[in-house]
Amino acid sequence: MGTENHHQTYKWIGLIAGLLVLAAACVCSVMFGINHYTWDDILTSYTAFDGSNKDLIIQSTRVPRALIAALVGASLAVAGTLMQAITRNPLASPSIFGVNAGAAFALVLAVVLFNASGTQQFTWIAFLGAAISAAGVYFLGSIGRDGLTPIKITLAGSALTAFFASLTQGLLLSNGKAFDQVLVWLVGSVAGRTMETFQSVFIYMLVALLGSFLLAGHMNVLSMGDDVAKGLGQNTIYIKAAAAVVIVILAGGSVAMAGPVVFVGIIVPHITRYLVGIDHRWVLPYSAVIGGLLLVSADIGARFIAMPKEVPVGVTTAIIGVPFFVYIARKGGKAQ
């Protein structure tokens, strides 16, 4: 009992430390880039705003960028954790299972056909695209006598990802204006985003994150298998449906803000389980913190790779994620 209490204490300390490191990373995101700013510059921009370029850049560009990177990273990591728990598939993530691709296709379709441009419009369109894609993957992965299996849902996700990517590219090639408008966004980027972008989806994603934490205990039961979960009295259909809604909101909101950022949902859950074990009451909050830290750090690094130009953060996460994906696949998902 005493050892368990010590472990709990260490996990709380680690979580608080992670939050502090994430906060420090967000401050560094505001400070560093093509133009460097001091801590005093940041404080002055809010306490003595004078309309200078420095104050405008800090408030309208750097701060929203840091907040969006933290929120998107946390959301994609939690969505990936939930997907891996539901499917018991170590490669499950919004980018691999086509959820991001479906949301991105819906947004491009709306831009090409209806000239959609408002942040609020983008949010709901992304939610719809993510939901349709998730439903499609689940349906295709469930066809057959053996029902839903990890390999079938992975193949279904890969197929829909390729399908939506092809449709997206076809739409862009047919509309040069839309191509110019969404090209950088499609790679995955938090640059050029405004506080309005952050505020438009923040409340939805915050509620979804809190909802994921409430589902943590049920995820522990569900991860044992459907038969065991049902034997313990769990209504697996309702739990999976609730988790699916959370995943759609988190993934769709992330795409609406930053485009289809890849691999965060694969990398972070494995790192988190290595650190704190398999209890989702700890895995989910740790994933949120580590996911936010990963994307904020990747965005900071992306600013210095090709200075003075910036590399989209989606490229940075892909560089990190591809070797990790190959490693997990070769290990059969046991990198934890």
Side-chain angles (χ1 to χ4, degrees):
M1 190 68 178
T3 303
E4 183 177 345
N5 288 337
H6 280 306
H7 288 165
Q8 298 284 333
T9 301
Y10 292 147
K11 288 176 181 177
W12 275 113
I13 293 173
L15 186 60
I16 294 170
L19 287 169
L20 293 175
V21 174
L22 175 58
C26 288
V27 172
C28 290
S29 179
V30 177
M31 295 173 65
F32 301 123
I34 296 177
N35 299 311
H36 292 349
Y37 301 108
T38 65
W39 176 249
D40 289 338
D41 291 332
I42 299 172
L43 292 179
T44 303
S45 70
Y46 284 93
T47 59
F49 181 81
D50 60 6
S52 65
N53 286 339
K54 177 191 67 177
D55 291 350
L56 289 173
I57 290 173
I58 290 174
Q59 286 198 26
S60 64
T61 302
R62 291 287 180 87
V63 170
R65 182 172 182 169
L67 293 176
I68 288 173
L71 181 59
V72 169
S75 298
L76 291 175
V78 169
T81 301
L82 290 175
M83 293 179 78
Q84 291 179 15
I86 292 174
T87 63
R88 297 188 298 282
N89 185 336
L91 299 179
S93 79
S95 58
I96 297 299
F97 277 19
V99 180
N100 285 358
F105 168 70
L107 286 172
V108 172
L109 184 66
V111 170
V112 172
L113 296 184
F114 306 108
N115 292 318
S117 59
T119 305
Q120 199 66 35
Q121 288 179 320
F122 270 23
T123 301
W124 288 104
I125 293 168
F127 288 160
L128 178 62
I132 292 174
S133 182
V137 170
Y138 185 83
F139 172 75
L140 292 175
S142 301
I143 295 175
R145 292 182 178 180
D146 52 348
L148 188 69
T149 64
I151 185 65
K152 283 170 61 180
I153 197 170
T154 300
L155 292 174
S158 300
L160 276 188
T161 297
F163 175 70
F164 283 126
S166 298
L167 291 179
T168 300
Q169 291 170 7
L171 284 173
L172 292 176
L173 288 175
S174 67
N175 190 306
K177 182 179 178 182
F179 182 85
D180 294 335
Q181 184 177 345
V182 301
L183 178 60
V184 175
W185 173 83
L186 276 176
V187 180
S189 175
V190 294
R193 305 307 190 261
T194 64
M195 189 58 74
E196 180 188 1
T197 304
F198 175 77
Q199 292 171 342
S200 67
V201 294
F202 170 70
I203 187 64
Y204 304 118
M205 297 174 77
L206 178 61
V207 171
L209 285 171
L210 294 176
S212 73
F213 301 151
L214 294 176
L215 289 171
H218 298 291
M219 289 297 104
N220 287 339
V221 177
L222 192 61
S223 62
M224 300 177 188
D226 286 1
D227 293 337
V228 174
K230 291 176 182 177
L232 294 173
Q234 185 182 88
N235 191 323
T236 57
I237 295 178
Y238 287 155
I239 297 303
K240 287 182 178 180
V245 170
V246 169
I247 291 168
V248 165
I249 293 174
L250 293 176
S254 297
V255 172
M257 284 197 295
V261 178
V262 297
F263 290 116
V264 175
I266 291 181
I267 298 172
V268 175
H270 289 281
I271 295 174
T272 303
R273 287 193 291 268
Y274 177 81
L275 294 175
V276 298
I278 60 175
D279 186 348
H280 285 84
R281 292 172 297 180
W282 289 106
V283 172
L284 286 167
Y286 263 84
S287 292
V289 173
I290 296 175
L293 179 60
L294 173 64
L295 200 60
V296 172
S297 301
D299 181 47
I300 295 173
R303 302 174 196 181
F304 295 94
I305 293 176
M307 190 69 93
K309 294 183 178 180
E310 293 187 4
V311 175
V313 70
V315 174
T316 310
T317 58
I319 292 172
I320 300 171
V322 168
F324 195 92
F325 177 84
V326 173
Y327 174 71
I328 295 298
R330 287 177 59 85
K331 296 288 288 186
K334 297 179 181 179
Q336 58 200 60

